[in-house]
Amino acid sequence: MLAISPSVTRGRSPPNRGPIDGLIGPSWRSACFRILRLALQMVKWAFTRERAMLKSDDILQADHPIVALKDEYDSGFTDPMHAHDAVQILFATSGVMSVKTPELAVVIPPQRAVIVPAGTLHEVSCRGPVSLRTIYIKSGSLSDFEACRVIEVSDLVKALIVTIADFDPDATWTAREDRIVEFLLEEVREMPTAPYSVAMPSDPRLLRVCKAILDDPADGQDIDHWASVAAMGRRTFTRAFRRETGVGLSVWRQQVRLLAALSLLSEGQSITMTAYEVGYDSPSGFGTMFRRAFGVPPSRYMA
């Protein structure tokens, strides 16, 4: 039976409808529009990634031992697993990034950077809009780095990175520019390591569990559930997880929650909302754990 619009019964003309309205209902139309928006966003991300890859490939051809680029990325952009022949320093002047390698998952809030060794597979994701500065080191004092390392970034190092990102890679550098590059390499080595990473297991069964927790840090399922997800017995799961990550599941999940909290706080979310969103029962309990892990209150990281 054909339904009669309430607007018709009140004597008003029905709203204009397109030809698709006669075929699908409102919920289907809404779903179609959401799918279309997602498809357009994916096309945009693919274009952004291709542009980024072309820029990095081009700049690595420059005749300098160290080169840099700067770029802007939209919220949600992800550059899937890839590697470079040069050491990378990834530093966001604004915004929050996460970086995953086969061994580590790290969050990079403002005023921190990550050093990615040459040849290391890594995935970069932008939690919000990110203004990125990348230094590629083809040779030099950082070429001996063998593992990813998150570092604190002083105001001096930030200024050096931003300055080098403006150097023309196709030009012959002046003695001043050469000295700035050397100074950056010296200063980066002096920067303290920041505790913003968690170890990732190599066992694909454990990796399945870890990826699920990274996707939803607030998930409070117990160890029996995660052992089942890994298709392992409880004791076998417990021993294997500690062997591959260095900590037990509860500690590892706590670290993941705190890393997720760093991102949310850096994006401007309140401490209370952040605490609940990452799985804590109260803001006070969250504040205690945060201070214990990082030595400062959560407010220090708020945007």
Side-chain angles (χ1 to χ4, degrees):
M1 179 180 294
L2 181 64
I4 300 177
S5 168
S7 62
V8 175
T9 62
R10 289 193 295 268
R12 292 197 298 268
S13 299
N16 292 328
R17 298 183 183 275
I20 195 173
D21 293 278
L23 301 176
I24 59 176
S27 61
W28 279 100
R29 288 199 302 274
S30 178
C32 288
F33 289 138
R34 286 198 301 270
I35 292 171
L36 178 59
R37 285 197 299 270
L38 178 60
L40 291 173
Q41 186 67 64
M42 291 177 68
V43 169
K44 183 177 181 181
W45 290 343
F47 173 78
T48 304
R49 180 174 183 267
E50 182 179 5
R51 182 191 64 190
M53 291 179 67
L54 287 173
K55 292 181 74 171
S56 63
D57 290 343
D58 288 345
I59 203 168
L60 285 171
Q61 303 305 314
D63 190 23
H64 295 290
I66 295 173
V67 289
L69 63 80
K70 55 183 178 179
D71 215 336
E72 310 296 321
Y73 296 96
D74 293 330
S75 175
F77 171 76
T78 297
D79 195 359
M81 284 288 183
H82 63 284
H84 300 285
D85 293 333
V87 176
Q88 264 185 299
I89 299 177
L90 291 167
F91 174 71
T93 56
S94 64
V96 178
M97 295 181 295
S98 64
V99 176
K100 295 178 184 177
T101 75
E103 293 81 28
L104 284 177
V106 306
V107 170
I108 314 169
Q111 301 307 312
R112 282 89 191 167
V114 63
I115 300 174
V116 182
T120 299
L121 285 170
H122 60 287
E123 173 187 287
V124 181
S125 301
C126 301
R127 298 294 299 267
V130 169
S131 181
L132 182 65
R133 303 296 182 270
T134 304
I135 306 292
Y136 294 98
I137 304 166
K138 293 184 283 186
S139 63
S141 63
L142 297 185
S143 59
D144 59 337
F145 271 56
E146 297 180 353
C148 278
R149 175 187 171 198
V150 182
I151 60 171
E152 302 285 353
V153 174
S154 65
D155 289 340
L156 173 59
V157 169
K158 175 182 177 180
L160 292 171
I161 291 174
V162 171
T163 298
I164 293 171
D166 286 329
F167 287 178
D168 184 352
D170 297 320
T172 301
W173 287 355
T174 64
R176 171 183 173 273
E177 290 169 330
D178 288 335
R179 288 195 300 270
I180 290 175
V181 167
E182 292 174 3
F183 193 22
L184 171 68
L185 296 178
E186 292 175 5
E187 287 299 306
V188 165
R189 279 200 171 275
E190 299 302 317
M191 292 296 100
T193 299
Y196 306 129
S197 64
V198 292
M200 296 293 284
S202 59
D203 188 314
R205 298 171 297 176
L206 301 178
L207 191 60
R208 183 164 61 244
V209 170
C210 290
K211 286 181 176 179
I213 295 174
L214 285 168
D215 289 340
D216 184 11
D219 191 328
Q221 299 281 0
D222 62 20
I223 196 168
D224 290 318
H225 167 80
W226 294 117
S228 176
V229 170
M232 303 168 74
R234 178 189 175 101
R235 292 181 61 184
T236 302
F237 174 81
T238 301
R239 289 196 299 266
F241 196 93
R242 183 176 292 275
R243 182 175 62 250
E244 295 221 8
T245 65
V247 295
L249 175 68
S250 61
V251 173
W252 192 90
R253 179 166 53 191
Q254 192 81 258
Q255 294 172 343
V256 169
R257 288 177 172 178
L258 291 172
L259 293 181
L262 284 175
S263 290
L264 296 173
L265 293 169
S266 299
E267 292 166 5
Q269 186 158 297
S270 71
I271 293 173
T272 298
M273 289 297 296
T274 295
Y276 291 130
E277 187 164 334
V278 300
Y280 285 87
D281 294 330
S282 69
S284 60
F286 165 67
T288 298
M289 289 302 302
F290 194 97
R291 194 176 291 106
R292 186 179 301 169
F294 300 123
V296 295
S299 57
R300 180 73 65 85
Y301 288 85
M302 295 185 69

